[in-house]
Amino acid sequence: DKAGYKHFMAKEIAQQPTVLAEALGAYLKGDEIVLPSPGLDFTEVDRLVLVACGTAYYACLTAKYWFEKLARIPVEVDIASEFRYREPPVTKGTVALFVSQSGETADTLAALRYCAGRADRIASVVNVETSTIARESDLALPIHAGVEVGVASTKAFTCQLNVLLLLAIKAAEARGRMAAAEKSELLAQLRALPGLFNAALDRDGAIAEAARKISEARDVLFLGRGMMYPLALEGALKLKEISYIHAEAYASGELKHGPIALIDKSVPVIVMAPRDGLFDKTVSNMQEVMARGGKVCLISDARGIEEAGDGIWQSIPLPDVDERLAPLLYALPAQLLAYHAAIAKGTDVDQPRNLAKSVTVE
Ligand code: F6R
């Protein structure tokens, strides 16, 4: 049931503040992060291997920043269909973590089975708790997103990020990398995030307007730096999937190594850039784009938009957010841009052509 929304995707996007708050409730006892049994002892982990497909893979790419930055654990991230056939060495001290909404994705399951008996522990982050991937894991972590019907993953992505961040915080704490006060402060920010999501949902009108203009383009570029790079990849995937507009994502710093050749007035460039420590670098990338006649759509906070100066084609203002949590909040405009672009193009939002919700074939 669409609960009054035109599409499941719209409903599921709007549900994010609620399901994220519920998921936090399920994992937090005060400031203690409680994992389902048998838990995970991060003091003994030398290396994490994160494996998934599609949007879940982008959640893993984001989590790499968290695990490395907060917990100083070396992390390898791979696409399941590449990982499994490469037969990489999986050494002692490795925890292999598989992220899957459905828990039935064939390549992710095959990668899990490859790691079973090789890695110290098999963990998974799943939405369907009765799924094969959950059952074959030593430790299955539910994301508590509720049933996701729209083929394009939305709330499952942010709920995956939420659990992966909690895991990274737990790892940081266990490894003596995060003091109690810092953890408490970060968890407080995380608890405030559903409120920021609601404020960002109020910007739907501005996002829809930008999306209508973007929907006229044949090709779109997404740029992001640091944790915003995986988000740019996710934004491009969403747009391709449901509006059929060709979109590509690059790490902002890669622009001058090739893709800048594509820039002209017909290619909108969507820049995801909260005002974080890397913002100035991204501003100079935007200037390079604008100097070549490129049209920049900037997604940032009010100060970021102000500091970016004149010449921005479209801007989407989001509430200020702790930079460590920005990937969760910035997923929302990425989803809504794709949604409204699809509406403008008249495509089938919930059932895009050629796609299935669960990919159980190789
Ligand atoms: C994109 C999307 C897909 C899935 C991918 C993995 O919107 O939904 O890219 O993320 O097929 O599916 P799961 O998470 O079920 O393993």
Side-chain angles (χ1 to χ4, degrees):
D1 147 48
K2 294 183 193 146
Y5 289 92
K6 261 173 84 183
H7 301 96
F8 281 107
M9 186 179 178
K11 173 187 166 194
E12 288 160 3
I13 289 173
Q15 276 180 328
Q16 289 175 112
T18 313
V19 289
L20 283 168
E22 283 168 7
L24 282 178
Y27 277 94
L28 293 179
K29 224 163 112 198
D31 277 352
E32 193 194 343
I33 299 166
V34 185
L35 302 184
S37 162
L40 206 51
D41 182 359
F42 278 104
T43 59
E44 288 170 4
V45 180
D46 296 331
R47 176 172 163 262
L48 266 175
V49 173
L50 308 181
V51 181
C53 301
T55 285
Y57 167 68
Y58 297 144
C60 293
L61 280 183
T62 312
K64 177 181 170 79
Y65 290 82
W66 285 324
F67 281 111
E68 290 184 350
K69 250 195 170 87
L70 302 177
R72 309 299 302 160
I73 301 178
V75 178
E76 192 192 319
V77 184
D78 215 338
I79 295 166
S81 57
E82 286 300 314
F83 181 87
R84 60 178 290 203
Y85 296 116
R86 210 173 61 244
E87 303 186 353
V90 177
T91 46
K92 283 269 148 258
T94 299
V95 168
L97 183 84
F98 302 87
V99 179
S100 175
Q101 187 283 128
S102 63
E104 303 295 346
T105 300
D107 283 320
T108 309
L109 179 59
L112 180 153
R113 288 178 175 159
Y114 172 78
C115 288
R118 291 186 168 94
D120 281 6
R121 294 296 277 286
I122 304 290
S124 57
V125 171
V126 292
N127 198 25
V128 182
E129 292 178 61
T130 52
S131 62
T132 314
I133 286 176
R135 276 188 280 114
E136 295 195 16
S137 303
D138 300 320
L139 170 68
L141 301 155
I143 60 170
H144 299 292
V147 176
E148 190 179 65
V149 178
V151 165
S153 190
T154 53
K155 63 176 180 171
F157 177 66
T158 44
C159 288
Q160 285 162 353
L161 289 179
N162 184 49
V163 170
L164 290 164
L165 175 59
L166 288 172
L167 266 189
I169 296 172
K170 190 157 180 80
E173 184 189 28
R175 295 162 80 90
R177 296 278 178 180
M178 192 181 276
E182 188 192 350
K183 178 189 169 197
S184 179
E185 192 265 338
L186 184 52
L187 290 178
Q189 304 269 9
L190 198 51
R191 287 193 190 91
L193 196 65
L196 297 186
F197 257 86
N198 280 320
L201 278 165
D202 288 341
R203 313 277 155 92
D204 189 49
I207 300 174
E209 200 189 310
R212 270 192 294 277
K213 296 199 173 124
I214 288 163
S215 72
E216 290 163 14
R218 204 187 63 178
D219 310 285
V220 175
L221 262 177
F222 282 77
L223 296 180
R225 236 176 227 279
M227 294 187 205
M228 286 298 123
Y229 169 46
L231 253 286
L233 290 163
E234 169 64 1
L237 177 64
K238 286 287 94 93
L239 192 65
K240 277 183 274 212
E241 270 186 300
I242 62 168
S243 76
Y244 315 145
I245 296 170
H246 170 234
E248 283 197 66
Y250 279 93
S252 305
E254 278 289 288
L255 188 66
K256 56 173 86 53
H257 299 287
I260 198 161
L262 296 172
I263 302 295
D264 68 18
K265 60 179 181 347
S266 68
V267 183
V269 180
I270 300 173
V271 181
M272 313 188 78
R275 233 203 129 281
D276 58 15
L278 299 171
F279 185 72
D280 294 345
K281 307 251 178 246
T282 303
V283 169
S284 55
N285 295 134
M286 282 190 290
Q287 280 158 353
E288 287 157 11
V289 169
M290 292 186 301
R292 285 157 185 84
K295 293 191 292 195
V296 171
C297 171
L298 174 62
I299 308 177
S300 185
D301 42 71
R303 247 183 85 198
I305 289 168
E306 196 189 306
E307 283 181 24
D310 293 336
I312 303 282
W313 175 56
Q314 303 274 323
S315 56
I316 297 173
L318 291 186
D320 289 341
V321 62
D322 182 294
E323 63 180 85
R324 294 163 295 185
L325 308 186
L328 285 123
L329 187 65
Y330 279 63
L332 188 78
Q335 297 163 350
L336 285 172
L337 271 179
Y339 177 74
H340 289 296
I343 300 285
K345 299 210 66 164
T347 54
D348 187 342
V349 171
D350 283 332
Q351 281 292 335
R353 66 187 183 199
N354 309 339
L355 291 172
K357 182 67 184 159
S358 182
V359 184
T360 52
V361 291
E362 302 184 352

